[in-house]
Amino acid sequence: MHDIWNPWHGCHKISKGCEPCYVRYQDGQRGGNASRIFRTKAGLDYPLQRRRDGSYCIQAAELIRVCMTSDFFLEEADA
Ligand code: SF4
């Protein structure tokens, strides 16, 4: 496992299934607001970003965790 890539952060509580939400729990611990949705510093192009030596930040066949602090099906994420 290499890294975590969170292209955006935040989510909308949509059902009772969201009660034990990881994002809401983590944000609550830090005094954050998980309902505020924003693009993260990592950006949408993180898989294409390179280090100073020219190698990709994420190597071929490396496993990464994606979108741990949001959801792919947000309307705000479509754009
Ligand atoms: S991340 Fe999942 S569990 Fe959390 S609020 Fe969004 S949809 Fe619900």
Side-chain angles (χ1 to χ4, degrees), residues 1-74:
M1 192 69 65
H2 167 82
D3 205 346
I4 298 172
W5 173 35
N6 293 314
W8 51 87
H9 181 96
C11 195
H12 301 295
K13 202 172 178 179
I14 55 167
S15 74
K16 269 196 158 296
C18 295
E19 290 300 325
C21 176
Y22 170 80
V23 181
R24 294 183 174 283
Y25 175 77
Q26 291 294 327
D27 276 14
Q29 294 289 306
R30 300 177 188 130
N33 177 6
S35 297
R36 189 172 77 86
I37 296 164
F38 59 92
R39 281 194 185 176
T40 64
K41 204 173 170 185
L44 295 172
D45 66 342
Y46 182 61
L48 301 175
Q49 291 176 14
R50 296 177 188 239
R51 298 185 186 103
R52 286 184 185 178
D53 66 4
S55 64
Y56 284 102
C57 294
I58 300 173
Q59 300 296 302
E62 226 172 346
L63 297 176
I64 61 168
R65 291 171 280 179
V66 179
C67 210
M68 296 281 293
T69 63
S70 188
D71 189 274
F72 278 108
F73 301 104
L74 294 174

